Amino acid sequence: MVTLGIESTAHTASVGIVDREAKVLSLASDMYRPAKGGIHPREAANHHVEVLPGLVGQALDASGTAPGDLDAIAFAQGPGLGPCLRAGATVARMLSLAWDRPLVPVNHCVAHVEIARVLSGFDDPMLLYASGGNTQVIAYARGRYRVLGETLDIGIGNFLDKLWIELGGTFPGGPALEIEARSGSELLDLPYSVHGMDVAFSGILTAALALHARGARRADLAYSIEVTTYAMLTEITERALAHRRRATVVLGGGVACNERLRNMVRAMVEERGGSMFAPPRSLCVDNGAMIAWTGHLARTAGRSVPVEGSAVEPRQRTDLVPTPWRAN
Ligand code: ATP
Ligand code: FE2
């Protein structure tokens, strides 16, 4: 038996099917790309409504499963953009009713941890979750996943996207900036903004744009931005490891696709005698397979809901979501 998961928290609509051993049988995704500027929630939601039914069909076909093989339908309940979440939840409710399968709500951040945890084989790792909207260091403690450190303003990915658009590029900025950074060589002076276990990016954005206006090379800016902000993320992850006496780190979120970030975190963790694991890129970015796997864990712990109890929660907090499958 298998679980189907629907992801739609932001710009990516995705459907994944996983078996009871966390094997990803299929993953079908489609990303909303604004013609210019950042993400518009209602346009993204319209995109998701349009593509999700087709993605469900594709995922079923590619996995060779039929609706009758499904243990459950899982969906991302939050956090995320309201209209986008509602698009995914509506499709999930409809499938649950039509196929008479349990409906399981999943927290998106917990899903990033759980897919990385099962793939890594680490029992109790720290997660560095670096995506567009989120930048958090997360670990399990006393019945919940706890956010130990996070961004005080915007997510690192949104910061990279904004900067890249200001420098004349298009969304998404992170991957393009990574390529640009490879031809940078001069480390420009940017604010280094770590506050205990937290980080902040808006001051760096202002400083970078000021340097650009004064004629700094785009490649040097990209290089300096990567080195500075990834060092900040590596530092707060290390501090969290030291505080919580952990030795393993997993990465998640779209920015975790970045080679420099992976290398910096790996070097730090290995220097401490620990291990680091980064999932394949398709499972770092937002994806339906992580929702399906976490839905499987939640269902086996008895956490399915009736349609009336399946409202989305755009501001759902990671540390308020029960995770009974981790109880012992
Ligand atoms: P969430 O809802 O979890 O905040 P998200 O909607 O931002 O996620 P993700 O797919 O997790 O979606 O992340 C997208 C972000 O990742 C974008 O900001 C993008 O620029 C960034 N990104 C993708 N690839 C890279 C890369 N190679 N280097 C740096 N950033 C990257
Ligand atoms: Fe995400």
Side-chain angles (χ1 to χ4, degrees), residues 9-11 108 129 131-134 157 161 174-175 178 230 254-255 258 285-286:
T9 56
H11 51 60
H108 177 90
Y129 172 30
S131 69
N134 293 287
D161 295 336
E178 176 166 32
Y230 298 163
V255 183
N258 187 280
V285 299
D286 289 350

Side-chain angles (χ1 to χ4, degrees), residues 275-325:
S275 307
M276 188 280 264
F277 174 83
R281 289 175 174 71
S282 59
L283 299 176
C284 274
V285 299
D286 289 350
N287 68 88
M290 69 180 189
I291 304 298
W293 173 243
T294 311
H296 165 76
L297 295 174
R299 185 195 59 81
T300 52
R303 297 200 56 81
S304 61
V305 294
V307 164
E308 314 81 77
S310 67
V312 300
E313 296 187 26
R315 291 176 190 282
Q316 188 174 61
R317 281 190 56 88
T318 306
D319 52 9
L320 292 180
V321 180
T323 55
W325 61 89

Side-chain angles (χ1 to χ4, degrees), residues 30-305:
D30 194 316
M31 185 177 161
Y32 156 78
R33 290 172 192 274
K36 70 179 193 12
I39 180 168
H40 188 294
R42 223 169 319 261
E43 278 176 20
N46 290 343
H47 162 270
H48 298 347
V49 169
E50 234 162 73
V51 301
L52 274 171
L55 295 176
V56 171
Q58 274 178 41
L60 281 175
D61 288 350
S63 66
T65 52
D69 301 327
L70 298 175
D71 279 327
I73 310 287
F75 70 99
Q77 184 176 36
L81 304 169
C84 297
L85 287 167
R86 279 191 286 278
T90 303
V91 174
R93 290 179 197 124
M94 199 192 71
L95 297 180
S96 160
L97 291 174
W99 295 339
D100 192 23
R101 303 282 102 184
L103 181 62
V104 183
V106 166
N107 176 275
H108 177 90
C109 309
V110 170
H112 276 290
V113 189
E114 290 299 354
I115 193 73
R117 190 165 76 95
V118 68
L119 295 175
S120 68
F122 302 155
D123 179 47
D124 192 18
M126 188 80 65
L127 172 78
L128 172 59
Y129 172 30
S131 69
N134 293 287
T135 305
Q136 299 180 329
V137 179
I138 296 173
Y140 178 81
R142 291 169 286 114
R144 300 276 199 276
Y145 281 104
R146 313 277 170 177
V147 178
L148 306 178
E150 61 189 318
T151 177
L152 299 172
D153 44 36
I154 55 176
I156 174 126
N158 287 353
F159 157 77
L160 298 172
D161 295 336
K162 261 188 197 178
L163 177 75
W164 188 244
I165 290 167
E166 293 282 346
L167 296 180
T170 53
F171 177 88
L177 209 82
E178 176 166 32
I179 295 167
E180 183 81 23
R182 289 191 196 130
S183 34
S185 53
E186 191 189 344
L187 186 60
L188 304 170
D189 197 19
L190 290 167
Y192 184 88
S193 189
V194 170
H195 309 272
M197 307 271 253
D198 298 325
V199 288
F201 298 106
S202 56
I204 307 177
L205 182 64
T206 308
L209 294 177
L211 284 172
H212 180 59
R214 276 188 257 125
R217 281 180 62 222
R218 196 159 88 160
D220 289 335
L221 265 178
Y223 169 71
S224 308
I225 286 288
E226 282 204 342
V227 170
T228 305
T229 57
Y230 298 163
M232 289 162 45
L233 297 187
T234 306
E235 180 182 332
I236 62 167
T237 308
E238 177 163 29
R239 187 160 299 133
L241 284 175
H243 272 291
R244 297 294 165 123
R245 300 183 200 289
R246 296 291 212 290
T248 52
V249 173
V250 293
L251 300 186
V255 183
C257 293
N258 187 280
E259 208 57 44
R260 188 185 311 274
L261 177 63
R262 288 176 177 223
N263 290 338
M264 288 170 74
V265 175
R266 180 179 294 108
M268 177 276 288
V269 176
E270 289 180 354
E271 211 165 279
R272 300 176 56 86
S275 307
M276 188 280 264
F277 174 83
R281 289 175 174 71
S282 59
L283 299 176
C284 274
V285 299
D286 289 350
N287 68 88
M290 69 180 189
I291 304 298
W293 173 243
T294 311
H296 165 76
L297 295 174
R299 185 195 59 81
T300 52
R303 297 200 56 81
S304 61
V305 294

